[in-house]
C-alpha cells in the first residue's frame, strides 16, 4: 500500500498550502519552514546478556524564534531524521497556536522499547542525554524534551537526573525536561493533559451550533458516537473524558486488534480487561473486528486517531463513515486523505491545535521548575480564608447560616491541579476561535488544518520580523 508523500513532505506541503494565504515574503516563509538544527548520534550500549548494540538517535530543533525549543522524545523503530524533523516542525506550529513561548523540537531513538529491559532502557536514555548535553541540545534555556510514543514519566525522570548530574549546581536543571513524575519535579495534571486538552478542544468545536448543523450533528458531546485508535497516554485519557461527558465509545483499537459495540464500551472495564488478558479482544459484549485498521471505518460521529502518524490514507479515506476526524495523534492523516475527506464533507480538527494540551501543561511545569515553588502553595489557604470571611459577612447581613456543604463548596482555594486544568481549559478554548475565524474566512476552499497553519505562520513570522537577523 502506498502512503504517498513522506511524513516530512506531508507537513511541509501543509505549510506551503497555508503559506500562500499569508502574504509574507518568500524568504521569511522559507526561513520559518526550514529545520534549524539536526543532531544525529550513534552510541553503543551493553545489553543485559553482555552483548553490545549500537543505537541510532536524533534530535531536531525546528525553530529558534523562541527559546527554549520543546518537543517529545520517541522510542520507536520508525524513528529517523525525517520523522523527527516533521514532528519538530509540527511542534513549532503547535506552540504558536496555543501561545506557548517555545520553538519546536523533537527527538527519538530507533528502537522497539518492548525488546529492552528497564535497565537497558535506562542505560540507553542516560547515554542519549549525555550526548545531547555534550552538544547543547538539552537544557532549561536551550531545548526541553517531553514524552512521546514509547516514553513516559519514568524516562523523563532519568533524563532530569542525568542532566542534573552532568550540570551539577545548575539551579534550574530540573527545567531541562517536562512530564516528570510529580515527586521528581513534575506537575499535577500533566499525565492526562494531552487527552484532557483533546477533550476541551473537541467540546469547544462541538459547541458551535452552526458548524455542527453543517455536519448534520447536534451541538454538544452527549450521545456522540466515538471511535478511538490507540489507548496509550493520549487515547486512554481522552476516552475517559469523553465517556464522562456522556459520549459513547463505539469502537476501540489497540495494537493487538479492535473491538466494537454500538451501545458503547466502558473504557475502565476495557483497560482492566486488557491489563489482565494483555489484549482488548474478546471483551464481553463487544465484537472483534477482523483487522485492527477496520476500526477506522466504523460508523461514528467522531473518529480519534491517537496512535501514530499516517493512519488515514488515500486507500482507506473513501471508506470512512465519520463526520469528524480529531487528530489526537501527530500527523495521522496524509494530504491525499485530507483531500478525500474534504470532498466528503468530513471536518478534520488538526493535530497542531487539538493535541496541544500536553505541551501547554509542559510549559506550566517548566515555569514551576524555574519558579521553584508549587502552583497554589502561596495562595490556596489565603483564598480559602478570604472566601470564608466573605461567607461570614453574607451570613451576618442576611442572618442565614450556610450549611457545612455550602461552605465547603465555596470557601476553597485552588490547588496546583485546579490551576493547571483551568489554564489548560482557557488555552484550548482561547486558541480555537482565531483558527475558526480564519477557517470561516476561507470557507469552502480551505480546511481547518490550513486555517490553523495560517494562524501559526503569522505568529512565527511576527517574531522573526521583530527579532531581525543576526548579525
Ligand atoms: P503511547 O505510546 O502512550 O500510545 C500509543 C498507543 O497506540 C499504544 O498503546 C500502542 O499500542 C497503540 N498503537 C500503536 N499502533 C497502533 C495501531 N496500528 N492501531 C491501534 N493502536 C496502535 O503514545 P502517546 O503518547 O499516547 O502518543 C500517541 C500519539 O499522540 C502520537 O502520535 C504522539 O506523537 C501524539 N502526541 C502525544 C502527546 C503526549 O503528551 N504524549 C502529545 C501530543 C501528541
Amino acid at each position: 500500500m502506498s502512503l504517498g508523500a513522506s511524513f516530512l513532505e506531508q507537513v511541509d506541503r501543509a505549510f506551503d498550502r497555508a503559506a500562500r494565504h499569508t502574504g509574507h515574503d518568500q524568504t521569511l516563509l522559507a526561513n520559518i519552514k526550514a529545520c534549524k538544527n539536526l543532531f544525529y548520534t550513534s552510541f553503543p550500549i551493553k545489553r543485559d546478556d553482555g552483548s553490545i548494540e549500537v543505537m541510532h538517535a536524533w534530535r531536531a530543533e525546528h525553530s529558534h524564534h523562541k527559546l527554549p525549543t520543546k518537543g517529545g522524545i520517541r522510542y520507536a523503530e520508525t524513528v529517523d531524521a525525517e520523522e523527527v524533523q516533521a514532528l519538530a516542525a509540527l511542534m513549532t506550529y503547535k506552540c504558536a497556536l496555543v501561545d506557548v513561548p517555545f520553538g519546536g523540537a523533537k527527538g527519538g531513538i530507533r528502537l522497539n522499547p518492548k525488546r529492552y529491559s528497564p535497565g537497558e532502557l535506562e542505560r540507553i536514555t542516560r547515554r542519549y542525554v549525555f550526548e545531547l548535553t555534550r552538544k547543547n541540545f538539552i537544557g532549561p534555556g536551550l531545548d526541553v524534551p517531553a514524552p512521546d510514543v514509547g516514553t513516559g514519566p519514568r524516562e523523563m525522570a532519568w533524563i532530569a537526573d542525568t542532566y542534573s548530574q552532568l550540570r551539577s549546581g545548575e539551579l534550574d536543571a530540573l527545567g531541562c525536561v517536562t512530564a516528570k513524575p510529580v515527586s521528581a519535579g513534575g506537575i499535577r495534571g500533566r499525565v492526562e493533559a494531552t487527552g484532557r486538552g483533546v477533550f476541551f478542544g473537541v467540546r469547544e468545536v462541538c459547541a458551535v451550533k452552526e458548524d455542527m448543523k453543517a455536519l448534520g450533528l447536534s451541538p454538544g458531546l452527549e450521545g456522540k458516537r466515538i471511535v478511538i485508535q490507540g489507548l496509550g497516554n493520549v487515547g486512554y485519557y481522552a476516552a475517559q473524558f469523553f465517556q464522562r461527558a456522556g459520549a459513547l465509545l463505539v469502537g476501540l483499537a489497540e495494537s493487538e486488534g479492535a473491538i466494537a459495540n454500538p451501545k458503547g464500551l466502558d473504557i475502565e472495564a476495557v483497560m482492566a480487561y486488557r491489563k489482565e488478558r494483555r489484549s482488548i479482544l474478546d471483551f464481553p459484549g463487544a465484537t472483534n473486528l477482523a483487522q485492527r485498521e477496520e476500526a477506522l471505518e466504523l460508523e461514528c460521529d467522531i473518529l480519534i486517531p491517537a496512535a501514530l502518524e499516517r493512519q488515514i490514507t488515500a486507500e482507506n479515506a473513501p471508506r470512512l463513515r465519520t463526520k469528524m476526524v480529531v487528530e489526537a495523534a501527530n500527523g495521522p492523516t496524509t494530504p491525499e486523505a485530507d483531500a478525500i475527506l474534504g470532498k466528503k464533507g468530513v471536518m478534520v480538527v488538526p493535530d497542531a491545535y487539538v493535541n496541544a494540551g500536553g505541551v501547554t501543561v509542559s510549559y506550566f511545569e517548566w515555569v514551576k521548575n524555574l519558579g521553584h515553588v508549587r502552583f497554589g502553595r502561596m495562595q490556596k489557604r489565603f483564598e480559602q480564608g478570604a472566601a470564608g470571611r466573605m461567607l461570614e459577612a453574607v451570613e451576618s447581613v442576611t442572618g442565614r447560616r450556610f450549611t457545612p456543604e455550602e461552605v465547603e463548596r465555596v470557601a476553597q482555594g485552588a490547588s496546583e491541579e485546579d490551576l493547571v486544568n483551568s489554564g489548560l481549559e482557557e488555552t484550548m478554548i482561547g486558541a480555537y476561535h482565531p483558527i475558526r475565524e480564519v477557517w470561516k474566512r476561507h470557507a469552502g476552499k480551505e480546511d481547518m488544518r490550513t486555517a490553523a497553519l495560517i494562524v501559526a505562520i503569522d505568529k512565527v513570522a511576527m517574531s522573526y520580523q521583530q527579532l531581525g537577523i543576526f548579525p
Side-chain angles (χ1 to χ4, degrees), residues 35-43 55-62 64 69 73 79-85 88 105-110 124-138 143 145:
C35 179
K36 300 300 170 289
N37 282 343
L38 178 62
F39 171 65
Y40 162 75
T41 182
S42 69
F43 51 81
M55 311 305 300
H56 301 275
W58 290 263
R59 181 81 182 163
E61 292 176 353
H62 173 259
H64 289 155
T69 52
I73 291 181
V79 171
D80 62 14
E82 280 217 349
E83 188 177 82
V84 293
Q85 286 182 85
K106 204 80 173 194
I109 308 182
R110 186 185 294 157
I124 294 167
T125 304
R126 288 187 185 276
R127 178 62 188 260
Y128 177 54
V129 177
F130 175 76
E131 299 296 339
L132 292 176
T133 310
R134 282 217 284 199
K135 294 292 192 306
N136 278 342
F137 269 81
I138 185 170
D143 189 346

Side-chain angles (χ1 to χ4, degrees), residues 149-437:
V149 174
T151 60
R154 178 183 68 172
E155 285 74 16
M156 302 308 113
W158 292 333
I159 293 173
D161 182 63
T162 310
Y163 181 83
S164 305
Q165 305 275 352
L166 294 169
R167 291 275 195 257
S168 141
E170 191 176 301
L171 189 61
D172 294 329
L174 275 186
C176 75
V177 64
T178 58
K180 302 176 289 289
V182 173
S183 51
I187 197 164
R188 288 161 187 82
R190 174 60 182 90
V191 178
E192 316 87 312
T194 309
R196 193 188 290 269
V198 169
F199 166 72
F200 285 145
V202 176
R203 192 186 64 186
E204 199 59 18
V205 173
C206 289
V208 184
K209 241 190 208 164
E210 142 196 6
D211 297 347
M212 289 299 102
K213 197 170 164 205
L215 295 174
L217 294 173
S218 56
L221 290 173
E222 180 92 39
K224 292 261 180 321
R225 296 165 305 160
I226 297 189
V227 171
I228 301 187
Q229 180 200 40
L231 301 173
N233 173 271
V234 179
Y236 164 61
Y237 287 108
Q240 256 193 2
F241 292 114
F242 284 111
Q243 181 169 308
R244 277 185 216 157
L248 280 184
L249 302 170
V250 295
L252 297 171
E254 246 302 330
S255 43
E256 65 274 13
I259 53 173
N261 184 345
K263 292 194 186 124
L265 295 153
D266 177 62
I267 185 65
E268 298 308 340
V270 172
M271 293 309 275
Y273 178 89
R274 184 172 195 241
K275 201 169 170 196
E276 201 186 302
R277 312 268 180 119
R278 297 181 166 269
S279 171
I280 57 173
L281 292 173
D282 301 322
F283 180 72
T287 314
N288 293 337
L289 304 186
Q291 302 279 334
R292 65 183 181 196
E293 283 72 25
E294 283 177 24
L296 301 170
E297 299 166 26
L298 286 170
E299 190 175 349
C300 62
D301 301 316
I302 306 178
L303 172 64
I304 308 185
L308 284 172
E309 58 265 19
R310 292 145 66 72
Q311 298 299 302
I312 303 173
T313 64
E315 199 269 322
N316 62 6
R319 297 193 298 274
L320 261 52
R321 289 180 293 160
T322 183
K323 305 276 174 57
M324 296 169 67
V325 170
V326 169
E327 296 187 324
N330 282 313
T333 317
T334 67
E336 295 79 10
D338 250 343
I340 296 166
L341 296 178
K343 281 201 192 104
K344 282 167 66 126
V346 175
M347 178 200 274
V348 179
V349 187
D351 45 8
Y353 162 65
V354 86
N355 71 32
V359 74
T360 301
V361 175
S362 273
Y363 165 49
F364 300 156
E365 179 176 330
W366 179 78
V367 172
K368 172 187 179 180
N369 292 150
L370 301 195
H372 299 272
V373 63
R374 165 168 54 80
F375 290 115
R377 181 167 173 180
M378 308 297 282
Q379 69 269 44
K380 187 174 188 315
R381 295 269 155 190
F382 181 80
E383 284 171 1
Q384 195 172 318
R389 287 190 293 280
M390 179 68 79
L391 289 182
E392 278 165 23
V394 174
E395 280 178 341
S396 75
V397 170
T398 60
R400 151 148 150 46
R401 287 197 68 77
F402 291 106
T403 64
E405 293 75 38
E406 284 170 332
V407 172
E408 202 186 314
R409 206 169 58 238
V410 179
Q412 265 198 27
S415 68
E416 177 169 85
E417 195 162 358
D418 294 332
L419 293 167
V420 163
N421 293 342
S422 152
L424 174 60
E425 187 170 8
E426 164 68 13
T427 302
M428 294 309 294
I429 293 174
Y432 178 58
H433 294 281
I435 299 172
R436 184 175 178 273
E437 257 168 50

